[in-house]
């Protein structure tokens, strides 16, 4: 990749705008997982220590119609950062384009970019306004690197200098190394609701992995090839595609039993059933015990593990066992494990296994698209900006 890196630039006294990924779960104003904030901190502190005028921006959640919603405000993150970075002044602004001037070595946290009209559509006017906030733009949000939006892509067309932050660079290098020469056996665990959003990555992982384990609604779609699975979450329109994938590869592991319930509730009691015994008023919400045993054995032998997504409704105590046992088996594994995706981070926090995972990616969609082999729009933007600067220097 022909791109600039932040640590190669002289940023002293410069206005440095960092696009972070601070999209963390917040409930009643309280941050539930600070994993992504902690991952972004080294870049922010590096710029502060170099005496740059540091401005950070991020998205949070999915506010409707690009309008302010208190539950999606970055203000709780600002308060968190103010405590963490207590050696300098930290400001907050909900007005991007009349932001207070700051001094070198100080930090300004901007409000959620998704409150800005045109952010999601990669609006050129908004992108240009962003560019006027800074002398140097730093793309450090790997979790948003797959999005072609104003704050992740459009700004690169107008800003003079765009560069990659250390976190973005590290994430990409880590994934490249894992995919290029993994130790064997290599297994991939893919959970989530929809097979449609992960069909291409499943195809890629089935090619390069010794075993692919599917969970959640994805596994249900595979089960629906041969069974009536009641009111379980699955995608009937993708059954044929799932069958083609299953028949093409012989390394996809599908549940042999499941925990089911009649109501989608955190108080619902679980019952274990074989796929052939599921009733019309029942829905699959977790792996059964025999499936868990089978998968834990596979995990124990693995030398490389790629993990994206829980395998059941882990938020409900009675449907947590599959995700919990698999997470703990990965944590105990002595090989190399890489985990990515928002729900995956929540699972890691829930079971306190952060220090036992070899590498935790901040990305979900970007994590999957990179594995799939797609060029991420943010990387494309950084390469184009670098080329533009070379041409300017020549002419």
């Amino acid at each position: 990749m022909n791109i600039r890196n932040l640590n190669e630039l002289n940023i002293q006294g410069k206005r440095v705008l960092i696009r972070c990924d601070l999209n963390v779960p917040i409930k009643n104003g309280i941050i539930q997982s600070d994993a992504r904030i902690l991952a972004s901190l080294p870049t922010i502190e590096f710029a502060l220590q170099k005496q740059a005028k540091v401005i950070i921006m991020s998205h949070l959640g999915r506010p409707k119609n690009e309008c302010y919603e208190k539950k999606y405000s970055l203000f709780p993150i600002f308060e968190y950062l103010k405590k963490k970075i207590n050696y300098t002044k930290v400001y907050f602004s909900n007005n991007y384009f009349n932001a207070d001037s700051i001094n070198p070595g100080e930090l300004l946290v901007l409000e959620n970019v998704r409150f800005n009209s045109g952010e999601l559509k990669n609006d050129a006017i908004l992108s240009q306004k962003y560019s006027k906030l800074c002398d140097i733009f730093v793309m450090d949000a790997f979790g948003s690197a797959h999005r072609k939006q104003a704050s992740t892509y459009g700004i690169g067309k107008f800003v003079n200098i765009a560069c990659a932050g250390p976190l973005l660079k590290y994430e990409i290098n880590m994934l490249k190394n894992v995919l290029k020469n993994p130790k064997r056996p290599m297994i991939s665990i893919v959970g989530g609701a929809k097979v449609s959003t992960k069909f291409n990555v499943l195809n890629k992982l089935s090619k390069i992995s010794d075993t692919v384990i599917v969970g959640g609604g994805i596994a249900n779609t595979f089960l629906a090839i041969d069974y009536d699975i009641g009111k379980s979450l699955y995608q009937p329109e993708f059954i044929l595609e799932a069958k083609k994938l299953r028949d093409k590869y012989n390394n996809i592991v599908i549940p042999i039993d499941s925990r089911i319930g009649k109501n989608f509730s955190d108080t619902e009691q679980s019952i274990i059933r074989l796929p052939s015994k599921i009733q019309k008023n029942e829905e699959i919400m977790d792996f059964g015990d025999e499936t868990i045993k089978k998968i834990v054995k596979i995990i124990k032998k693995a030398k490389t593990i790629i993990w994206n997504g829980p395998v059941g409704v882990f938020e409900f105590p009675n449907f947590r066992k599959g995700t919990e046992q698999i997470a703990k088996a990965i944590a105990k594994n002595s090989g190399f494990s890489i985990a990515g995706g928002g729900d995956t981070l929540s699972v890691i926090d829930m079971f306190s296994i952060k220090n036992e995972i070899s590498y935790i990616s901040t990305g979900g969609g970007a994590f999957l698209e990179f594995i799939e082999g797609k060029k991420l729009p943010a990387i494309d933007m950084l390469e184009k900006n670098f080329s533009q600067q070379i041409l300017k220097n020549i002419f």
Side-chain angles (χ1 to χ4, degrees), residues 22 24 26 31 37 60 74-82:
L22 306 176
V24 298
I26 298 176
I31 295 168
I37 307 175
L60 177 65
L74 261 68
F75 193 79
I77 294 170
F78 154 71
E79 291 185 312
Y80 176 100
L81 288 170
K82 194 163 61 170

Side-chain angles (χ1 to χ4, degrees), residues 17 57 96-97 113-114 116 119 125-134 150-152 155:
L17 176 61
M57 62 179 178
Y96 266 60
F97 312 114
V113 292
R114 289 189 177 171
N116 299 329
E119 165 64 21
I125 294 173
L126 179 61
S127 298
Q128 193 166 20
K129 285 181 178 180
Y130 286 155
S131 72
K132 290 178 180 178
L133 292 171
C134 63
S151 68
T152 60
I155 185 174

Side-chain angles (χ1 to χ4, degrees), residues 89-107:
K89 290 183 179 178
V90 182
Y91 307 94
F92 180 79
S93 177
N94 56 11
N95 190 331
Y96 266 60
F97 312 114
N98 288 307
D100 295 331
S101 61
I102 57 173
N103 296 314
E106 294 181 347
L107 174 66

Side-chain angles (χ1 to χ4, degrees), residues 179 186 188 190 195-214 218 222 241-252 368 371-373:
L179 295 174
M186 171 182 170
S188 297
V190 184
V195 72
S196 59
T197 60
K198 297 183 179 180
F199 183 78
N200 290 334
V201 79
L202 279 172
N203 192 52
K204 176 67 180 288
L205 287 173
S206 297
K207 289 178 184 176
I208 65 173
S209 304
D210 297 288
T211 305
V212 175
I213 297 158
V214 291
I218 295 171
F222 279 93
E241 293 298 318
K243 185 178 186 302
K244 288 178 182 177
L245 195 64
R246 184 198 66 179
D247 294 346
K248 183 177 180 181
Y249 303 102
N250 61 1
N251 60 348
I252 299 175
L368 293 173
I371 290 172
E372 191 181 324

Side-chain angles (χ1 to χ4, degrees), residues 288-338:
D289 288 346
E290 292 306 312
T291 301
I292 294 170
K293 287 178 188 176
K294 180 180 179 180
I295 291 170
V296 167
K297 284 182 181 178
I298 294 169
I299 292 171
K300 282 181 179 178
K301 296 177 182 178
K303 297 296 183 184
T304 303
I305 302 169
I306 294 177
W307 174 28
N308 176 263
V311 299
V313 188
F314 72 98
E315 299 91 343
F316 296 170
N318 295 327
F319 299 95
R320 184 176 294 164
K321 188 174 180 180
T323 299
E324 180 177 8
Q325 293 301 310
I326 286 167
K328 289 180 176 179
I330 294 169
K332 289 178 183 177
N333 181 280
S334 59
F336 184 87
S337 54
I338 184 166

Side-chain angles (χ1 to χ4, degrees), residues 247-261:
D247 294 346
K248 183 177 180 181
Y249 303 102
N250 61 1
N251 60 348
I252 299 175
V253 175
I254 299 164
I256 53 177
D257 64 343
S258 304
R259 276 183 166 75
I260 61 93

Side-chain angles (χ1 to χ4, degrees), residues 264-282:
F264 192 79
S265 166
D266 61 0
T267 59
E268 179 71 6
Q269 294 300 307
S270 65
I271 302 169
I272 297 176
R273 289 204 194 283
L274 297 174
S276 60
K277 302 295 183 181
I278 294 170
Q279 306 299 306
K280 291 189 180 297
N281 64 339
E282 296 174 338

